[in-house]
Amino acid sequence: MTSATLSSFCSVYGPVQSWRYGRSLGIDPIGPVSTCSFDCVYCQLGEIEHKSRDRQIFIPTSQILQDLSAFQPWDVDVITLSGSGEPTLALNLGEILALTKSLTGKPVGVLTNGALLNCVEVRAELAIADQVSVKVDAVTDEVLRRVNRPVAGIDLTTQWQGLKAFRQQYSGQLAVQTMLLLPWNEAEQQAYIDQMRDLAPDEIQLNTPTRPRPLAHQLDARGNHSASDRPYAIRQLKRVSVSSLQAFGDRIQRETGIAVKVAIGE
């Protein structure tokens, strides 16, 4: 990434209307080149340009704070780290979270795929956030590879162990976000329910894709958009019916006692 490209990039975007958290101002700690340890088939960013599990500083914290100051006053419900990839890949994650909370006085959240939660340093930095939403889209490695398409070295066992370790030390609001492209069979549903009962998150967020997937990476896909207002090529994705999603959510809540939030858009 050239210095010219970075200087023209704004790390703060929105506000966007989040079905999870209300009116949310986004912070993108990754930058104009999408970078993630997953390449999910439903990703609203399009194809991930740089697939990696290596942490580095993408956007200096000073630039993020400068970009954030331009949005003052912060008339939002929450400030959320997400954007152009996996936020825990940012080596300055903890610094961004702490300084954003101090500067804005707003709750700060993180949307993460959880692939690096087996790392002690990542768990400690992520624990600064007021709310964390961790992706769990699969109960088998085969589905993880097919739907989330992780880089080499990431498997379901390691991911699950990291998530459980994070749960034990985290005192903030923990949610599990799960995207369904097809209805799950009985064995998958029961395995998921057993895992959630064991993990005991504060909330489960069930979703199915309505946002289109760009055929190539598009930076503006970070925000709210629909299939009808995109000036570039997109494709619609498979989704489950609202009734099927709601029925699974009702079952989860009934059998675990965990609050379930159901939506039909990412």
Side-chain angles (χ1 to χ4, degrees):
M1 184 190 313
T2 66
S3 58
T5 301
L6 190 56
S7 64
S8 64
F9 170 78
C10 185
S11 62
V12 180
Y13 61 97
V16 299
Q17 192 59 39
S18 167
W19 68 275
R20 298 175 180 90
Y21 301 122
R23 185 172 163 83
S24 171
L25 187 64
I27 291 181
D28 184 346
I30 300 300
V33 177
S34 61
T35 304
C36 193
S37 48
F38 283 7
D39 185 21
C40 298
V41 296
Y42 59 79
C43 183
Q44 70 186 55
L45 297 172
E47 188 76 15
I48 295 297
E49 296 168 293
H50 183 214
K51 303 170 184 67
S52 175
R53 58 181 299 186
D54 297 328
R55 303 187 77 203
Q56 66 180 81
I57 293 179
F58 299 89
I59 308 295
T61 308
S62 58
Q63 179 180 334
I64 290 174
L65 293 178
Q66 181 177 337
D67 291 343
L68 192 56
S69 296
F71 282 77
Q72 192 174 7
W74 302 284
D75 183 22
V76 294
D77 300 310
V78 64
I79 296 174
T80 306
L81 270 69
S82 181
S84 298
E86 172 50 43
T88 62
L89 290 175
L91 202 53
N92 53 344
L93 173 68
E95 186 177 61
I96 295 168
L97 289 169
L99 292 177
T100 297
K101 290 174 67 171
S102 176
L103 176 65
T104 67
K106 292 290 184 178
V108 178
V110 180
L111 307 183
T112 175
N113 63 25
L116 296 185
L117 287 179
N118 60 324
C119 174
V120 174
E121 292 79 13
V122 170
R123 293 200 301 269
E125 293 171 31
L126 197 58
I128 298 170
D130 298 291
Q131 48 202 38
V132 175
S133 187
V134 183
K135 183 188 304 295
V136 178
D137 291 337
V139 293
T140 67
D141 277 310
E142 189 275 329
V143 174
L144 180 73
R145 288 190 296 269
R146 177 165 48 85
V147 173
N148 299 127
R149 302 188 295 188
V151 299
I154 296 175
D155 58 54
L156 206 57
T157 299
T158 303
Q159 186 182 19
W160 183 246
Q161 289 172 344
L163 178 52
K164 288 187 68 176
F166 180 67
R167 181 52 171 152
Q168 290 169 3
Q169 74 179 83
Y170 184 53
S171 59
Q173 184 82 8
L174 178 66
V176 167
Q177 52 172 321
T178 299
M179 179 74 79
L180 273 70
L181 306 181
L182 296 168
W184 284 3
N185 62 35
E186 171 60 29
E188 290 172 319
Q189 289 194 25
Q190 190 60 58
Y192 182 88
I193 287 169
D194 292 343
Q195 287 183 337
M196 293 303 107
R197 187 184 291 116
D198 183 31
L199 181 66
D202 297 293
E203 181 178 88
I204 293 170
Q205 301 163 346
L206 288 184
N207 197 15
T208 193
T210 56
R211 291 188 184 181
R213 176 181 169 90
L215 299 188
H217 173 61
Q218 301 292 339
L219 190 60
D220 83 333
R222 297 181 303 183
N224 293 136
H225 64 277
S226 66
S228 61
D229 61 4
R230 297 301 89 202
Y232 43 76
I234 59 172
R235 72 178 176 89
Q236 294 286 14
L237 301 167
K238 290 181 179 179
R239 62 179 108 165
V240 303
S241 67
V242 176
S243 59
S244 177
L245 201 66
Q246 188 65 60
F248 186 30
D250 290 346
R251 179 183 177 186
I252 294 168
Q253 188 159 323
R254 184 173 61 251
E255 296 189 21
T256 67
I258 299 167
V260 178
K261 184 179 293 184
V262 174
I264 58 169
E266 170 60 7

